[in-house]
Amino acid sequence: MTDVALAERDGGTAWRRIADELADAIGRGEYKLGDTLPASVTLAERYGVHRHTVRQAFRHLADQGLVTVSRGRGTQVTAPRLPYPIGRRVSMRSNMGKLGITGTSRMLSAEVVVGEAAACTALKLKTGTPLWCVQGVSMADGVPMGTGMHWLSVERFPDFDRAYRDAAGSITAAFKIYGITDYVRLSTRLTARLADEREAELLEIAPEAAVMISTAVDALPDLTPIHLVSSVFAAERMEMVIEPFGD
Amino acid sequence: MTDVALAERDGGTAWRRIADELADAIGRGEYKLGDTLPASVTLAERYGVHRHTVRQAFRHLADQGLVTVSRGRGTQVTAPRLPYPIGRRVSMRSNMGKLGITGTSRMLSAEVVVGEAAACTALKLKTGTPLWCVQGVSMADGVPMGTGMHWLSVERFPDFDRAYRDAAGSITAAFKIYGITDYVRLSTRLTARLADEREAELLEIAPEAAVMISTAVDALPDLTPIHLVSSVFAAERMEMVIEPFGD
């Protein structure tokens, strides 16, 4: 064991023991879904440790998806995060179906805009090409999961606002209206930031909660890009799963 | 155009115009790396819009990686996020090398622990198997990008603390010491949350800034898992890139 290890050992062991005990208590049903765990100061006193050590235990439980830590509301026992597989095929709704969860979506707005450089480049169109900019929100069993801004060529997808609404907010179903029965996920870029007021309201999360930001391009099977979507997901409810060998 | 579109249209157009103008100003060098953009109230007055509209423009620029929005410090022009490809092969250092960035890491702590169920299951070991728990931090050109907690079998990797240190914090180089010259990324799970105090200090980000949480398993080419790593990345500096057709 190294010097560093010896120096960090006690703090290291303490948070892990607290996390294990809390995880066990959740497992036994002592704390149920929606329950708030004791405050960090209370637990720090009980275990005779610094409250930072208790908070580290909370973070560990949060990373395992057992609790959600938020300012003001404390540390609550939560449902496990919804796994969202990212591979060559991405259909949020069919994925939820496999888990016995009902996926729904609704359109928030639809407008035609002059395509800006970033969007047009991703879609391999000339800057300035008219694009649909359609916003929707997706729910899992009625709980908001994410909101997406979809960009598509107006020429390729005339009346897309109507198609998307007729398809009840399912991109896969909307594509079928245009005869597109198969499409693939070309690329996904993922990062995170804090939610703004509007996103927090829409996703029913605390203002300034963490959101995952995904920018993805879907393409026809011949890899022609047809759909750019920039999504904001409630990070406390979702995790992206990438399994390169699972295809 | 739908009713919803008409209702949302003006707000929609306004934030996009403001975002475009600010992006252009950044492109022209009017605002340079590290500069702070005017406050949302100032710009709201200048454009005759609600400050929420300006904030939406800021978020859009942030999602494009042009600025970082943080409470207290305002909206700063930032370097683009470092792309971190997630596929079958993952080596942070070789990826950075391709971008002309110097990747370095250092060990923060190393200890042997009794393997908890989650870690042992991921590594296909019996719960209670002795595991290395090694923490490191990774930098890109000296800027902290992420901190990782690595879990490995003590039996397979005796003296891993020394190997990891001798390998200057490179997992790839440490593996070579054990004769492992090739390994693959089996799975990656990604979510996000707010940074805790210690992580914020370590990563030199604002307390409560968004961090990306990655849990990944590496395996030998025969898919035997050998390494579990749970990482915390500064979301404002990194984006994960998944390109299933790029392998």
Side-chain angles (χ1 to χ4, degrees):
Chain A
M1 195 161 294
T2 66
D3 296 349
V4 191
L6 289 169
E8 295 242 346
R9 196 186 171 184
D10 294 337
T13 308
W15 71 258
R16 214 167 284 126
R17 185 167 63 91
I18 297 166
D20 283 352
E21 289 194 21
L22 290 170
D24 284 349
I26 293 168
R28 282 194 308 272
E30 210 170 297
Y31 300 110
K32 290 182 182 61
L33 206 67
D35 282 359
T36 302
L37 296 188
S40 56
V41 282
T42 312
L43 289 174
E45 211 165 289
R46 188 183 301 170
Y47 286 99
V49 297
H50 196 277
R51 68 189 161 79
H52 286 181
T53 305
V54 177
R55 286 197 194 155
Q56 198 171 355
F58 284 169
R59 293 295 180 193
H60 185 70
L61 295 174
D63 292 348
Q64 292 187 301
L66 292 173
V67 304
T68 300
V69 186
S70 57
R71 262 178 313 178
R73 287 190 304 188
T75 303
Q76 287 180 309
V77 180
T78 44
R81 285 189 173 94
L82 183 75
Y84 184 83
I86 296 189
R88 293 182 179 211
R89 310 277 155 178
V90 186
S91 167
M92 192 159 174
R93 218 169 284 202
S94 75
N95 170 45
M96 286 198 248
K98 282 179 206 151
L99 299 169
I101 293 164
T102 306
T104 53
S105 301
R106 72 189 162 85
M107 186 167 87
L108 298 174
S109 66
E111 57 174 333
V112 171
V113 299
V114 176
E116 55 182 286
C120 289
T121 304
L123 292 169
K124 291 195 182 157
L125 297 171
K126 270 188 202 151
T127 299
T129 302
L131 296 182
W132 280 110
C133 173
V134 176
Q135 199 184 357
V137 61
S138 295
M139 272 84 57
D141 283 343
V143 178
M145 286 287 134
T147 174
M149 197 82 87
H150 305 269
W151 311 83
L152 311 95
S153 155
V154 173
E155 197 187 337
R156 188 185 284 267
F157 297 101
D159 301 315
F160 190 77
D161 53 344
R162 209 178 302 157
Y164 184 65
R165 199 162 40 182
D166 289 351
S170 161
I171 289 290
T172 306
F175 280 169
K176 282 197 182 127
I177 295 172
Y178 297 90
I180 298 168
T181 52
D182 194 17
Y183 67 103
V184 293
R185 176 64 47 106
L186 216 51
S187 68
T188 306
R189 275 165 38 217
L190 283 174
T191 186
R193 59 166 170 76
L194 309 187
D196 67 23
E197 293 94 337
R198 182 158 188 258
E199 291 160 353
E201 199 180 321
L202 209 56
L203 299 176
E204 298 170 21
I205 54 178
E208 311 265 335
V211 285
M212 264 186 293
I213 307 296
S214 144
T215 310
V217 178
D218 291 324
L220 296 175
D222 71 0
L223 307 190
T224 305
I226 52 168
H227 174 224
L228 167 68
V229 54
S230 160
S231 307
V232 177
F233 293 105
E236 66 202 57
R237 299 188 195 128
M238 298 272 295
E239 64 177 3
M240 308 302 184
V241 181
I242 304 124
E243 291 182 333
F245 294 91
D247 281 357
Chain B
M1 196 162 296
T2 66
D3 296 350
V4 190
L6 288 170
E8 297 241 346
R9 196 187 170 184
D10 292 339
T13 309
W15 71 256
R16 213 167 284 124
R17 186 168 60 94
I18 298 167
D20 283 352
E21 289 194 20
L22 291 170
D24 284 349
I26 293 169
R28 282 195 308 270
E30 208 171 299
Y31 300 110
K32 289 182 182 62
L33 206 66
D35 280 0
T36 302
L37 295 187
S40 55
V41 282
T42 312
L43 288 175
E45 210 164 289
R46 189 183 301 169
Y47 286 99
V49 297
H50 195 276
R51 71 192 158 80
H52 286 181
T53 305
V54 176
R55 286 197 195 156
Q56 198 171 355
F58 283 169
R59 295 294 181 194
H60 185 70
L61 295 174
D63 293 347
Q64 294 186 300
L66 292 173
V67 304
T68 299
V69 185
S70 57
R71 264 179 313 180
R73 286 191 302 189
T75 303
Q76 288 181 308
V77 180
T78 45
R81 283 187 174 94
L82 184 73
Y84 184 82
I86 295 189
R88 294 183 180 211
R89 310 277 155 177
V90 186
S91 168
M92 191 162 177
R93 219 169 284 202
S94 75
N95 170 46
M96 285 198 249
K98 281 177 207 150
L99 299 169
I101 292 164
T102 305
T104 53
S105 302
R106 71 189 161 87
M107 186 167 88
L108 298 174
S109 67
E111 57 175 331
V112 171
V113 299
V114 176
E116 55 181 288
C120 289
T121 304
L123 292 170
K124 291 194 181 156
L125 297 171
K126 272 186 198 150
T127 300
T129 302
L131 296 182
W132 280 110
C133 173
V134 176
Q135 199 185 357
V137 60
S138 295
M139 271 84 57
D141 282 343
V143 178
M145 286 288 136
T147 173
M149 195 83 85
H150 305 268
W151 311 83
L152 312 95
S153 155
V154 173
E155 197 187 338
R156 189 186 283 269
F157 298 101
D159 302 315
F160 190 78
D161 53 345
R162 209 178 303 158
Y164 184 64
R165 200 164 36 182
D166 289 352
S170 160
I171 289 290
T172 306
F175 281 170
K176 282 197 183 129
I177 295 172
Y178 297 91
I180 298 167
T181 52
D182 194 19
Y183 66 104
V184 293
R185 176 63 47 107
L186 217 51
S187 67
T188 306
R189 277 164 37 217
L190 282 175
T191 185
R193 59 168 169 75
L194 309 187
D196 67 22
E197 293 93 337
R198 182 159 187 258
E199 291 160 354
E201 200 180 318
L202 209 56
L203 299 176
E204 297 171 21
I205 53 178
E208 311 266 333
V211 284
M212 264 187 293
I213 307 297
S214 144
T215 310
V217 179
D218 291 324
L220 297 175
D222 71 1
L223 307 190
T224 305
I226 52 168
H227 174 224
L228 168 68
V229 52
S230 160
S231 308
V232 177
F233 293 106
E236 67 202 58
R237 299 188 195 129
M238 297 273 294
E239 65 176 2
M240 308 301 183
V241 181
I242 304 125
E243 291 182 334
F245 293 91
D247 281 357

